[in-house]
Amino acid sequence: MMQVARGPRSGQTMTEFLLVAMTCILFFFILAIFLNSYLEHSYRVLSLLSSQYP
C-alpha cells in the first residue's frame, strides 16, 4: 500500500470542520436568542390581555 504524502491539504479538513462547527454553534445561539425574545414577548401579550378581563 502506498502512503499518500501529506501536503497542504492536511489542514484543510480540520479548517473546514471548524468552520462548519462554528457556523452551527452560531446558528443555534441566534436561534436561542430569537426563541427567548419570542417567549418573552408572548408572555407580555398574555399578561396584558389577562389584565383587561377580570
Side-chain angles (χ1 to χ4, degrees):
M1 230 188 225
M2 291 183 60
Q3 195 170 15
V4 179
R6 301 180 88 182
R9 290 182 53 109
S10 62
Q12 181 180 356
T13 305
M14 182 58 85
T15 305
E16 289 177 0
F17 173 76
L18 287 175
L19 284 174
V20 170
M22 293 304 290
T23 305
C24 288
I25 290 171
L26 184 64
F27 174 74
F28 285 120
F29 182 71
I30 292 173
L31 195 65
I33 290 174
F34 282 144
L35 180 64
N36 186 24
S37 62
Y38 172 75
L39 290 176
E40 187 176 327
H41 179 70
S42 65
Y43 178 74
R44 274 193 239 149
V45 169
L46 285 176
S47 66
L48 285 172
L49 286 175
S50 64
S51 67
Q52 293 179 358
Y53 298 104

